[in-house]
Amino acid sequence: MLPPRSPSRRGVLRGAALAGLAGVGLSACAGGDGPRRTDSVRIILGHGAAPGNPRSDGALAFQRLVAEKSNDEVEIQILGQESVGSDTEMMVSVAAGTLDMTINSQGPFSSYVPEAALIGLPFLFETSQHAFAVLDGEIQDSLAGLAETKGFHVLGFWDNGMRDITNSVRPLEVPEDVAGLKIRTPDDPMTIDIFRELGANPTPMAFGELYLGLRQGAVDGQENPVVNIHSSSLHEVQEHLAVTGHKYEMNPFVISTTRWEGLDPAIRTVIEEAAVEAQQEQRSLMLSQSEEIYAEFEEILQVTHPDRALFREATLPVHERWQQQHPEFFDQLTAAAESLRAEHQESAS
Ligand code: TK8
């Protein structure tokens, strides 16, 4: 269960945690037990997921793998559940060098690499596996190249899943049902565009504020993969779930390029290998947890399965707008998605 925290308390914790981090550098720092070994390296990893969420478990797997592969020479210190800031704030901290690495979200990453928002084009992917097949090739290379010029070295794209809509006002069957609802979105221009197109009132808000926002009625609903809805107990404050799968998001795993370039090549190899192995573990946890949670939600929420074709048609203008803004990347991405669509269509639903 996610204990709802008041914004003021969160602000204080955040400030204190970051102030503590500022003194942590590459080399030794004096502790109560005397100086640390000078050859040990500590790397701080921030993320926004709740305990038990596959992103949180994947971060623990990464920590364990790095320790094993480096014979405990490299220590990953994890600060999860937005304890050092929202996704947006953590991207800023990595850019500023006060945080080393973050497993973040697509929207906040796209404020630095605008093309990344296109991964969330409505109904681009049939399933998460379809997205993995597209992302793990030249698409990741393209986005990683762009990120490098903005100070972020990409270690992988983890799975944030296919997104569905919950709300406390009415069951959603057709696109028109979404009109007029106040829907919380991440700090993500694509999601805002999609919900505006559907006639909703999209309201960006940090994920950590969402439980209270829903409970207090500041917003009517939100959209997220069921795994995130479940691990943060959002279903406790929502009545309806519409299985729209309207967009896909990945979780970019990034380290600041300055920190990356300062690391010994052998340590970089350890980190790269651990990141890939932990990503595989995280992705399979997402898939197995999703299945269990869909089954549980059928019992406790009012669940609808809207016709995706109607929603796809209603959101086509979103594709046109983003094609105009990023023609080259749009073509590369949609061509890759189309070429792999047929083999992933069967397993969809
Ligand atoms: C939690 C967020 C969440 C994202 C959102 O860190 O904000 O809705 O889907 O996963 O990253």
Side-chain angles (χ1 to χ4, degrees):
M1 298 298 104
L2 176 77
R5 293 171 297 178
S6 73
S8 54
R9 185 168 160 250
R10 297 182 68 242
V12 170
L13 287 176
R14 221 177 254 177
L18 271 183
L21 290 189
V24 178
L26 224 181
S27 55
C29 57
D33 308 329
R36 288 168 56 92
R37 266 171 50 203
T38 42
D39 58 351
S40 79
V41 173
R42 182 146 58 129
I43 298 172
I44 315 285
L45 163 61
H47 70 75
N53 184 289
R55 197 184 322 161
S56 190
D57 289 342
L60 291 168
F62 173 71
Q63 179 185 53
R64 173 178 45 80
L65 288 162
V66 168
E68 279 169 19
K69 289 173 190 285
S70 71
N71 295 318
D72 290 325
E73 241 178 69
V74 184
E75 183 202 343
I76 302 296
Q77 186 181 345
I78 301 173
L79 296 165
Q81 209 173 6
E82 296 183 52
S83 53
V84 283
S86 65
D87 282 326
T88 299
E89 289 164 335
M90 285 188 281
M91 286 301 293
V92 172
S93 299
V94 171
T98 50
L99 179 65
D100 297 318
M101 43 166 64
T102 174
I103 308 169
N104 214 272
S105 288
Q106 196 162 289
F109 179 68
S110 77
S111 2
Y112 294 91
V113 182
E115 287 82 354
L118 278 83
I119 303 293
L121 279 166
F123 303 98
L124 180 64
F125 299 116
E126 301 296 324
T127 59
S128 294
Q129 291 93 331
H130 182 198
F132 303 159
V134 171
L135 289 177
D136 291 350
E138 54 178 31
I139 296 298
Q140 178 169 326
D141 297 342
S142 295
L143 293 176
L146 292 165
E148 204 78 34
T149 67
K150 303 288 167 68
F152 300 96
H153 179 77
V154 171
L155 291 168
F157 289 157
W158 291 20
D159 179 32
N160 204 11
M162 298 287 283
R163 300 172 81 88
D164 300 322
I165 311 170
T166 66
N167 84 95
S168 56
V169 176
R170 55 177 168 262
L172 308 180
E173 299 282 3
V174 291
E176 291 72 21
D177 293 332
V178 182
L181 293 178
K182 194 167 181 186
I183 301 286
R184 175 273 174 180
T185 74
D187 189 2
D188 175 57
M190 180 63 72
T191 315
I192 294 169
D193 199 12
I194 294 170
F195 281 84
R196 201 167 276 150
E197 188 62 40
L198 292 170
N201 176 6
T203 308
M205 187 188 282
F207 188 71
E209 317 291 336
L210 183 52
Y211 180 95
L212 269 188
L214 291 169
R215 197 173 71 172
Q216 296 176 340
V219 287
D220 300 317
Q222 62 87 40
E223 53 84 58
N224 248 294
V226 289
V227 168
N228 292 352
I229 293 170
H230 193 270
S231 64
S232 292
S233 307
L234 304 183
H235 56 289
E236 289 177 0
V237 286
Q238 294 281 268
E239 277 168 51
H240 306 281
L241 167 69
V243 183
T244 48
H246 54 277
K247 73 185 281 263
Y248 177 81
E249 282 194 10
M250 50 80 176
N251 291 122
F253 184 5
V254 296
I255 178 167
S256 90
T257 46
T258 320
R259 189 71 214 266
W260 182 246
E261 282 155 16
L263 289 171
D264 187 274
I267 292 180
R268 280 190 237 158
T269 305
V270 160
I271 290 175
E272 272 168 349
E273 287 176 6
V276 168
E277 286 172 40
Q279 170 176 298
Q280 279 161 0
E281 206 165 313
Q282 189 267 350
R283 283 178 172 181
S284 58
L285 275 175
M286 278 293 286
L287 297 176
S288 56
Q289 275 198 20
S290 292
E291 268 185 49
E292 286 165 25
I293 294 169
Y294 275 120
E296 184 185 335
F297 281 176
E298 288 287 346
E299 306 295 322
I300 59 175
L301 291 171
Q302 307 290 320
V303 182
T304 56
H305 296 270
D307 183 350
R308 294 180 88 220
L310 292 178
F311 276 82
R312 183 193 304 268
E313 208 176 293
T315 51
L316 277 178
V318 176
H319 278 248
E320 286 159 23
R321 281 195 285 276
W322 286 81
Q323 179 169 27
Q324 277 164 21
Q325 277 186 55
H326 301 283
E328 210 175 304
F329 187 70
F330 179 94
D331 289 347
Q332 186 191 13
L333 177 64
T334 53
E338 283 322 309
S339 73
L340 294 162
R341 184 175 305 282
E343 63 189 88
H344 290 279
Q345 219 140 25
E346 289 294 298
S347 53
S349 93

